[in-house]
Amino acid sequence: MSSTAGLSTSSHTNSVNRNPNKFSRTRSKAASVLSKRPTHECFGSIVTVEVGPEKRSFAIHKDLLCFYSDYFRAAFNGSFKEAAEGKISLPDCDAKIFYIFNGFLYTRELCSEAGKTGLELSSTTLSELWVFGDVHLVPALQNLAIDCLIGRIQTLGSLLNTKIPYIYRRTVAGSPLRRMAVDWEVCSPSVTEDNLSCWPRIGLIELAIALSSKQAEHRSFRTLLQSRGKCYYHVHSEGEHC
């Protein structure tokens, strides 16, 4: 394994302009469970990912990246310029979020540059990791991020309401992250005007629908989780489950 793989380096090379829609969704091949591990064949050639407006450069094993992400598999194994050059640019991506993703590829854990791990990461960071995984088709990252987010809000007793507008801007109707946020608020012991003030109109509609169908036995988020099972908020490839 190259000593540079998985580590960030400074670079001032030109980025590859990318149409965000050109790597279309196909039938998922990406690993969605952490028990499915990459083989030694995934640690061969290395590609470069330039992140953010500062073009922070990450050197990563190509097949490892493709093992976890259908997005990067399409980019590096197709007929696009990125495949020929072995380089892709993500100018709109936060380098701090990509750093955690980069570490996840090699450790299957979440760790920030500041050394915070798992439940220690903020609700903001965990939400942004989930959205990154959604955009770049990394289901295993999404599932780990939402598990940590659920654990964090259960420990702290609250979801960071200021992230609700972000969640609704960056997800589609029915997404697991939206459903989790709605379910948490529905099961909250004290729904107040302050809690709901940051929710967009579509979110309030979804809350109203969820409240109208709330079952009496689901008086807490914990009992709701127990009744639905761990995979309810997960994204899985066909044939995979926790």
Side-chain angles (χ1 to χ4, degrees):
M1 182 186 302
S2 168
S3 61
T4 61
L7 300 177
S8 63
T9 59
S10 60
S11 173
H12 299 285
T13 56
N14 293 328
S15 64
V16 179
N17 292 326
R18 177 180 61 82
N19 179 341
N21 297 316
K22 79 178 184 180
F23 305 133
S24 60
R25 290 175 182 263
T26 58
R27 183 176 178 180
S28 179
K29 297 180 181 178
S32 64
V33 292
L34 297 183
S35 58
K36 184 177 180 180
R37 301 194 175 193
T39 66
H40 69 278
E41 296 174 347
C42 290
F43 299 92
S45 61
I46 290 176
V47 294
T48 299
V49 183
E50 293 181 336
V51 181
E54 70 278 17
K55 299 180 183 178
R56 183 173 177 181
S57 181
F58 293 82
I60 306 174
H61 286 100
K62 185 192 79 170
D63 291 331
L64 181 65
L65 193 56
C66 297
F67 178 82
Y68 284 109
S69 168
D70 289 321
Y71 175 93
F72 290 110
R73 178 184 293 108
F76 287 119
N77 289 334
S79 57
F80 301 109
K81 180 168 63 174
E82 287 79 0
E85 297 183 353
K87 181 172 66 175
I88 190 171
S89 178
L90 305 178
D92 298 325
C93 181
D94 186 334
K96 292 181 180 178
I97 294 299
F98 195 89
Y99 177 93
I100 299 174
F101 166 62
N102 185 37
F104 163 82
L105 294 174
Y106 290 89
T107 66
R108 298 184 300 281
E109 297 178 354
L110 304 179
C111 183
S112 71
E113 289 185 273
K116 292 185 177 181
T117 61
L119 300 183
E120 296 174 341
L121 295 171
S122 69
S123 297
T124 296
T125 296
L126 292 169
S127 298
E128 291 177 357
L129 280 168
W130 193 95
V131 169
F132 174 90
D134 191 42
V135 171
H136 298 94
L137 310 180
V138 194
L141 177 69
Q142 290 177 272
N143 296 338
L144 182 55
I146 206 164
D147 284 349
C148 289
L149 183 57
I150 289 171
R152 181 176 176 81
I153 64 176
Q154 285 185 308
T155 300
L156 298 179
S158 65
L159 178 64
L160 188 62
N161 282 328
T162 55
K163 292 309 297 180
I164 294 299
Y166 169 83
I167 290 172
Y168 271 83
R169 283 197 312 271
R170 300 300 304 272
T171 61
V172 298
S175 77
L177 187 58
R178 279 195 193 187
R179 287 192 279 113
M180 188 277 294
V182 168
D183 287 343
W184 169 258
E185 196 64 47
V186 165
C187 294
S188 175
S190 57
V191 178
T192 66
E193 184 176 348
D194 287 341
N195 289 352
L196 301 179
S197 62
C198 60
W199 284 72
R201 182 174 180 273
I202 183 61
L204 292 173
I205 292 173
E206 291 176 351
L207 277 174
I209 293 172
L211 280 167
S212 69
S213 60
K214 180 182 178 183
Q215 298 181 23
E217 64 268 23
H218 296 152
R219 293 188 176 90
S220 73
F221 188 60
R222 188 178 301 277
T223 60
L224 183 63
L225 282 176
Q226 291 172 345
S227 69
R228 287 178 169 171
K230 185 177 181 180
C231 281
Y232 183 77
Y233 300 112
H234 282 186
V235 179
H236 283 304
S237 300
E238 185 176 349
E240 292 184 352
H241 58 82
C242 295

